[in-house]
Amino acid sequence: MGGNNKQVTQGKTFRLGILGSGKGSNMVAIADACAAGRIPAEVAIVLSDVENAGILGHARERGLKAQFFPPGKFRTKLDEEAEKNLLATLERENIDLIVLAGFMRILKGEFLRVFEHRVVNIHPSLLPAFPGLEAWKQALDYGVKVTGCTVHFVDQGVDTGPIIGQQTVPVAVGDTAQILHARIQEAERELYPECVAALARGEIKVQARQTIWTR
Ligand code: GAR
């Protein structure tokens, strides 16, 4: 991640593009950490594939640029034109790091080639356990005693990229899926800003599957 370091040391603000499809609690945690100076970066744009998603409302309340983009005809991925338009928007905005915050579509091909090692995601389990949808429910159904959340680089697979950080969360007797997800989300709001801050400072190096925190 030497490129990130360069941006900061040259005095240019490190620019985040945040993508989400849901209520936006991770975006809020990251935007507020930027505003408070805990992340040396600015949220340049917030984008959603869901027109009425909470994430767009929370972004606008904070005076951030927030836009809906039509995802196209598929349910779980973007169609070619949508992906091309999204790429163009993020390049126009001079984005240094794309932060997926509850973005529920798979990004692929050209998009990930252009932004290699510059797209990160948060997943609500301790990967590689429970990739995919509703990971907290998968963990509960499996009967694990400990789960958590993972921040990772996005590669061509589903939740398979190099791991940047993880935080554990206990599973308690009597937890419902909703209660467990809420507990995991508390951990997400700590872990994600911490990882994004390290990335903005250029403190994360990637060596094959390993990431190294240099601080
Ligand atoms: C978060 O819990 C995040 O881990 C999960 O969606 C939620 C979004 O919440 N992401 C995934 O499941 C990705 N596979 P938010 O909109 O409040 O940030």
Side-chain angles (χ1 to χ4, degrees), residues 128-212:
F130 313 126
L133 294 177
E134 298 192 321
W136 60 91
K137 192 165 177 302
Q138 295 184 51
L140 198 60
D141 291 347
Y142 196 92
V144 295
K145 302 293 186 197
V146 177
T147 184
C149 51
T150 302
V151 174
H152 64 94
F153 287 107
V154 175
D155 67 6
Q156 303 281 347
V158 177
D159 303 324
T160 52
I163 290 172
I164 300 165
Q166 294 188 299
Q167 192 157 320
T168 58
V169 171
V171 181
V173 176
D175 271 355
T176 60
Q178 203 187 2
I179 289 169
L180 181 57
H181 190 203
R183 194 178 303 122
I184 293 170
Q185 286 205 301
E186 263 176 55
E188 291 183 345
R189 291 193 287 271
E190 285 176 22
L191 180 69
Y192 215 0
E194 193 192 328
C195 292
V196 173
L199 288 159
R201 291 193 195 101
E203 292 173 350
I204 309 283
K205 307 280 174 237
V206 195
Q207 284 176 6
R209 285 217 50 89
Q210 262 67 46
T211 65
I212 297 153

Side-chain angles (χ1 to χ4, degrees), residues 40-210:
E42 69 177 307
V43 179
I45 193 164
V46 175
L47 293 159
S48 181
D49 58 326
V50 178
E51 197 157 15
N52 60 356
I55 190 170
L56 292 176
H58 287 304
R60 289 180 185 126
E61 276 162 29
R62 284 164 174 74
L64 301 171
K65 189 189 272 192
Q67 287 172 9
F68 161 68
F69 69 95
K73 54 184 179 291
F74 303 114
R75 215 168 45 85
T76 57
K77 61 177 184 177
L78 299 174
D79 74 15
E80 208 173 308
E81 201 194 335
E83 193 162 289
K84 235 170 64 193
N85 290 340
L86 178 62
L87 190 61
T89 303
L90 293 163
E91 285 185 317
R92 205 168 40 241
E93 290 289 340
N94 257 313
I95 296 303
D96 295 299
L97 184 71
I98 298 169
V99 177
L100 305 185
F103 185 64
M104 300 313 277
R105 285 171 197 269
I106 292 163
L107 296 168
K108 312 186 284 63
E110 178 63 6
F111 191 98
L112 293 178
R113 265 193 297 283
V114 172
F115 280 97
E116 196 193 6
H117 290 160
R118 291 196 296 145
V119 186
V120 293
N121 180 45
I122 185 140
H123 183 76
S125 75
L126 295 175
L127 290 170
F130 313 126
L133 294 177
E134 298 192 321
W136 60 91
K137 192 165 177 302
Q138 295 184 51
L140 198 60
D141 291 347
Y142 196 92
V144 295
K145 302 293 186 197
V146 177
T147 184
C149 51
T150 302
V151 174
H152 64 94
F153 287 107
V154 175
D155 67 6
Q156 303 281 347
V158 177
D159 303 324
T160 52
I163 290 172
I164 300 165
Q166 294 188 299
Q167 192 157 320
T168 58
V169 171
V171 181
V173 176
D175 271 355
T176 60
Q178 203 187 2
I179 289 169
L180 181 57
H181 190 203
R183 194 178 303 122
I184 293 170
Q185 286 205 301
E186 263 176 55
E188 291 183 345
R189 291 193 287 271
E190 285 176 22
L191 180 69
Y192 215 0
E194 193 192 328
C195 292
V196 173
L199 288 159
R201 291 193 195 101
E203 292 173 350
I204 309 283
K205 307 280 174 237
V206 195
Q207 284 176 6
R209 285 217 50 89
Q210 262 67 46

